[in-house]
Amino acid sequence: MPVDLHLDLDTLNAGLDHIRQAPKDVGTVELVIRRPAENEREVLAEVELDTAAGVVGDDWINRGAELDRQVTLMNARVIGLVAQTKERWPLAGDQLYVDFDLSTANLPTGSRIQVGSAVLEVTPAPHRGCKKFSGRFGLDALRFVNSETGYALRMRGMNARVVQAGTVRAGDTVRKLPE
């Protein structure tokens, strides 16, 4: 049976309870991506995170992006729902896909998380769905992640900066650090 690549809003909203059940204190890195050039994705077993370069080898550094947008994380439960197959997760364009609660209530700006051996700090820079996201996952998916609930849960993802360099591998632990 073929996969409908664009789910309707009712189907997406039906997945909210599962998304809200993501671990709040200790989770898992599910997928690691590097973007060597615009619209290119490399699925990797591990990446190095650097305080100056972000994801080493990622094109972020060449795009003139701000330090507050050095690394992007997306909740694996959200992308699992929206993309439907793990092979389509990289289309979202984030670098780290984690089974972890990225909501503003759980991780307000300034919060720190350990991801593998690296430490990231949540930045205030918003991460919103755009025309590319809509083209890849559908207009209802864009509405879903950009809704009031979507913003509160950071369903489109979260921006962070590297405060301690380290290595991140698929399967590594994501841990909220004490304030």
Side-chain angles (χ1 to χ4, degrees), residues 23-34:
K24 296 188 179 316
D25 295 313
V26 179
T28 308
V29 176
E30 298 293 326
L31 192 66
V32 177
I33 302 290
R34 180 171 51 207

Side-chain angles (χ1 to χ4, degrees), residues 17-57:
D17 285 342
H18 180 63
I19 292 165
R20 287 185 173 116
Q21 293 169 6
K24 296 188 179 316
D25 295 313
V26 179
T28 308
V29 176
E30 298 293 326
L31 192 66
V32 177
I33 302 290
R34 180 171 51 207
R35 306 163 309 185
E38 189 171 349
N39 294 319
E40 288 184 24
R41 310 284 189 270
E42 295 176 336
V43 176
L44 302 171
E46 70 178 45
V47 292
E48 294 296 320
L49 299 186
D50 180 82
T51 57
V55 175
V56 175

Side-chain angles (χ1 to χ4, degrees), residues 47-51 54 56 115-119 162 164-168:
V47 292
E48 294 296 320
L49 299 186
D50 180 82
T51 57
V56 175
V115 184
S117 63
V119 175
V162 180
Q164 177 184 306
T167 303
V168 177

Side-chain angles (χ1 to χ4, degrees), residues 149-160:
T149 299
Y151 287 162
L153 296 177
R154 287 196 183 111
M155 289 197 299
R156 177 55 198 95
M158 176 183 84
N159 284 298

Side-chain angles (χ1 to χ4, degrees), residues 58-150:
D58 192 272
D59 190 44
W60 164 85
I61 200 161
N62 298 320
R63 296 182 197 184
E66 307 94 27
L67 188 62
D68 280 1
R69 299 175 192 270
Q70 201 175 38
V71 179
T72 60
L73 297 91
M74 189 168 185
N75 180 302
R77 294 172 188 232
V78 174
I79 192 60
L81 174 63
V82 170
Q84 301 172 67
T85 66
K86 199 163 187 176
E87 293 75 27
R88 296 188 70 231
W89 288 19
L91 293 174
D94 299 280
Q95 297 143 320
L96 302 176
Y97 296 85
V98 297
D99 188 19
F100 196 71
D101 179 357
L102 301 178
S103 71
T104 57
N106 191 49
L107 294 173
T109 297
S111 297
R112 290 188 174 190
I113 56 174
Q114 182 170 358
V115 184
S117 63
V119 175
L120 303 178
E121 183 176 276
V122 177
T123 64
H127 189 36
R128 304 287 190 236
C130 63
K131 185 177 179 179
K132 286 181 182 180
F133 189 86
S134 176
R136 294 168 181 156
F137 303 112
L139 185 55
D140 279 351
L142 180 66
R143 289 180 179 133
F144 180 64
V145 299
N146 283 349
S147 66
E148 187 175 325
T149 299

